């Protein structure tokens, strides 16, 4: 009798595990959203909301942060006693970015109107700010913190934090948490797009953490070069006789390093970048002696975050979430961030970098479309 009870509990746990896995990866099962998956599987349509709302949003975020910090601590302790050459291959690059998850209804107070870089216009949705750590040249991408901005906070108190405010708090809390665990980290090197090119934020990171923030410059910024010439950002991206050099780490790339003064930022380092078949752009940071080639390599890691968002929005069907509870939405996003990390880890580490994210996504979809496992209720589709 006791053996039958244990077997029944295991069967129930396997069914629940299958449902949770399906909710995290609905598109792998041929469904656009978790609610569509519940209809095709004959599950309770309210089950996703109940599972995701089982924890309050603060608990969901704590779990995401703890996961990121545990992974980073394990990696750091693995390499901290190694040679300088080994540590250089496992350098950390902190990356800030934000994204808008499309949502059309007014079911959540989190929904507002935000500018989307992907759509190049203002869209209706939920604006999230994400902090990532890129290990080495993209061997691992670890989500560290996540926050959703409120468009119209209700109740007493000041207005919600801006994107820049969230970025500062995330970096401060993550660095402090890692130091409490006994990690003596080098000064953080942070990369971000032009949305985070705020003089106060860049100066804060330099003063508080002795770190460097490398951002993409805007065409409207004004600089005075070392020879007294005044230029705007638009001039820097136009053909001119700049001191171009060839990049050793990226064949075909050209770059030009300039020192300049800005009325807003003070002394800065400008890095003009010319890539084949792409529009010219420029990067800048507060005056720094970091070699230009290293800055270029730092910036190349910033684009790895695009793979994270592409996986979140397409494969993990983030935009298709239909829950109407704020805690459930936080659970929805945090679970997908964790799932995205698992996918990226699998593609980059287990496959030794020989399989791209796109190839892995294709193979996963093909594999899971033919799964036949009665215990997990994942019935074969072909």
């Amino acid at each position: 009798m006791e053996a039958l009870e244990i077997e029944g509990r295991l069967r129930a746990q396997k069914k629940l595990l299958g449902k949770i896995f399906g909710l995290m990866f609905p598109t792998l099962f041929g469904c656009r959203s978790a609610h569509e998956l519940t209809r095709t599987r004959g599950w309770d349509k309210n089950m996703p909301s109940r599972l995701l709302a089982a924890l309050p949003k603060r608990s969901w975020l704590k779990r995401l942060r703890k996961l990121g910090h545990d992974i980073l601590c394990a990696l750091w302790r693995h390499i901290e006693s190694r040679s300088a050459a080994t540590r250089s291959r496992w350098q950390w690059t902190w990356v800030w970015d934000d994204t808008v998850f499309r949502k059309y209804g007014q079911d959540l107070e989190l929904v507002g109107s935000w500018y989307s870089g992907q759509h190049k216009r203002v869209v209706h949705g939920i604006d999230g700010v994400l902090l990532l750590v890129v290990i080495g040249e993209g061997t691992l991408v670890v989500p560290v913190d996540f926050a959703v901005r409120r468009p119209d906070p209700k109740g007493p108190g000041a207005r919600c934090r801006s994107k820049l405010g969230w970025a500062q708090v995330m970096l401060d809390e993550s660095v402090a948490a890692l130091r409490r665990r006994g990690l003596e980290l080098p000064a953080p090197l942070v990369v971000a797009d032009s949305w985070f090119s705020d003089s106060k934020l860049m100066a804060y990171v330099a003063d508080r953490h002795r770190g460097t923030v490398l951002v993409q410059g805007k065409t409207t910024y004004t600089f005075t070069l070392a020879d007294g010439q005044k230029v705007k950002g638009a001039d820097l991206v136009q053909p001119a006789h700049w001191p171009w050099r060839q990049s050793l780490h990226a064949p075909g790339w050209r770059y030009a390093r300039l020192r300049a003064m800005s009325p807003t930022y003070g002394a800065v380092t400008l890095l003009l970048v010319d890539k084949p078949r792409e529009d010219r752009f420029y990067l800048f940071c507060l005056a720094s002696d970091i070699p230009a080639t290293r800055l270029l390599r730092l910036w190349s890691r910033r684009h790895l975050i695009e793979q994270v968002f592409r996986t979140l929005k397409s494969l993990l069907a983030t935009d298709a979430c239909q829950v109407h509870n704020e805690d459930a939405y936080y659970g929805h996003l945090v679970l997908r961030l964790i799932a995205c990390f698992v996918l990226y880890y699998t593609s980059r580490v287990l496959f030794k970098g020989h399989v791209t994210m796109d190839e892995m996504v294709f193979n996963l979809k093909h594999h899971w479309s033919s799964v036949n496992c009665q215990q997990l209720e994942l019935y074969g589709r072909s």
Side-chain angles (χ1 to χ4, degrees):
M1 192 68 178
E2 188 174 333
L4 292 176
E5 291 182 0
I6 295 176
E7 184 179 353
R9 292 176 185 175
L10 291 175
R11 189 181 300 111
Q13 290 177 357
K14 289 180 179 179
K15 289 182 179 180
L16 180 60
L17 177 61
K19 292 179 180 180
I20 293 176
F21 188 82
L23 296 177
M24 291 174 65
F25 301 90
T27 54
L28 295 184
F29 298 86
C31 300
R32 181 174 179 270
S33 66
H35 284 267
E36 183 181 346
L37 181 65
T38 59
R39 289 196 298 270
T40 59
R41 299 288 179 181
W43 299 341
D44 180 4
K45 67 176 183 179
N46 296 316
M47 184 187 65
S49 295
R50 289 202 302 269
L51 286 175
L52 296 173
L55 295 174
K57 65 177 184 179
R58 188 176 297 276
S59 295
W60 281 114
L61 293 176
K62 283 182 178 179
R63 276 155 177 77
L64 176 65
R65 293 165 184 157
K66 185 177 185 303
L67 172 67
H69 295 158
D70 287 346
I71 294 170
L72 293 176
C73 283
L75 290 173
W76 182 259
R77 298 193 191 287
H78 177 69
I79 65 166
E80 63 179 345
S81 60
R82 302 296 183 90
S83 64
T86 300
R87 291 198 302 270
S88 67
R89 293 195 299 269
W90 290 81
Q91 292 176 348
W92 292 13
T93 304
W94 301 78
V95 182
W96 284 321
D97 208 345
D98 75 317
T99 188
V100 177
F101 302 99
R102 297 293 297 274
K103 195 169 181 64
Y104 299 95
Q106 291 287 355
D107 301 314
L108 296 174
E109 295 179 359
L110 302 176
V111 177
S113 297
W114 312 94
Y115 181 83
S116 171
Q118 178 183 1
H119 298 89
K120 307 299 182 184
R121 59 186 175 88
V122 175
V123 298
H124 208 54
I126 296 177
D127 189 30
V129 184
L130 182 63
L131 176 64
L132 290 161
V133 174
V134 179
I135 307 296
E137 299 300 327
T139 303
L140 200 60
V141 177
V142 183
V144 176
D145 205 350
F146 175 78
V148 171
R149 297 172 58 202
R150 289 182 175 276
D152 186 19
K154 301 183 182 302
R159 63 188 299 272
C160 65
R161 286 195 184 105
S162 66
K163 180 165 27 184
L164 301 176
W166 272 118
Q168 176 179 318
V169 169
M170 285 179 174
L171 183 64
D172 287 349
E173 292 183 348
S174 295
V175 171
L178 293 173
R179 285 176 177 167
R180 285 196 299 270
R181 293 172 177 241
L183 272 64
E184 294 295 332
L185 299 175
L189 299 174
V190 189
V191 295
D193 60 17
S194 58
W195 287 101
F196 296 88
S197 58
D198 178 76
S199 59
K200 294 180 180 179
L201 180 61
M202 296 173 70
Y204 177 84
V205 174
D207 295 337
R208 177 70 180 271
H209 302 288
R210 299 294 186 267
T212 300
V213 179
L214 180 67
V215 296
Q216 184 171 353
K218 296 182 179 180
T219 57
T220 56
Y221 290 167
T222 302
F223 302 98
T224 302
L225 302 182
D227 59 2
Q229 178 185 1
K230 291 186 178 181
V231 296
K232 296 187 68 174
D235 302 325
L236 298 175
V237 298
Q238 296 298 323
H241 297 291
W242 303 114
W244 294 108
R245 296 183 180 181
Q246 296 294 327
S247 174
L248 299 177
H249 301 283
W253 285 37
R254 294 194 307 166
Y255 70 90
R257 178 171 183 151
L258 306 172
R259 294 189 178 275
M261 292 294 297
S262 166
T264 304
Y265 298 89
V268 297
T269 296
L270 303 176
L271 195 63
L272 285 58
V273 183
D274 187 15
K275 299 172 59 176
R277 297 179 298 278
E278 291 188 21
D279 294 335
R280 186 178 297 170
F281 63 93
Y282 77 96
L283 311 171
F284 78 97
C285 61
L286 299 185
S288 173
D289 294 328
I290 299 177
T293 52
R294 187 179 180 190
L295 292 176
L296 286 176
R297 294 175 68 180
L298 286 175
W299 181 252
S300 67
R301 297 166 192 166
R302 185 244 173 270
H303 297 287
L304 294 173
I305 200 173
E306 302 298 338
Q307 292 189 351
V308 175
F309 285 141
R310 185 170 67 247
T311 307
L312 277 174
K313 291 186 174 182
S314 58
L315 176 63
L316 304 182
T318 308
D319 291 343
C321 180
Q322 299 176 25
V323 299
H324 305 300
N325 179 280
E326 183 176 323
D327 291 337
Y329 203 89
Y330 266 91
H332 171 85
L333 291 175
V334 169
L335 277 179
R336 274 147 181 75
L337 277 172
I338 295 174
C340 189
F341 159 73
V342 171
L343 286 178
Y344 200 90
Y345 177 85
T346 304
S347 65
R348 297 296 297 172
V349 177
L350 297 187
F351 292 110
K352 306 300 182 183
H354 297 301
V355 178
T356 65
M357 178 63 76
D358 293 333
E359 291 172 336
M360 183 182 178
V361 168
F362 175 81
N363 291 330
L364 278 173
K365 286 186 176 181
H366 176 74
H367 172 71
W368 283 107
S369 65
S370 58
V371 166
N372 191 348
C373 180
Q374 294 289 339
Q375 289 82 356
L376 296 180
E377 291 190 355
L378 307 178
Y379 305 119
R381 298 177 58 86
S382 63

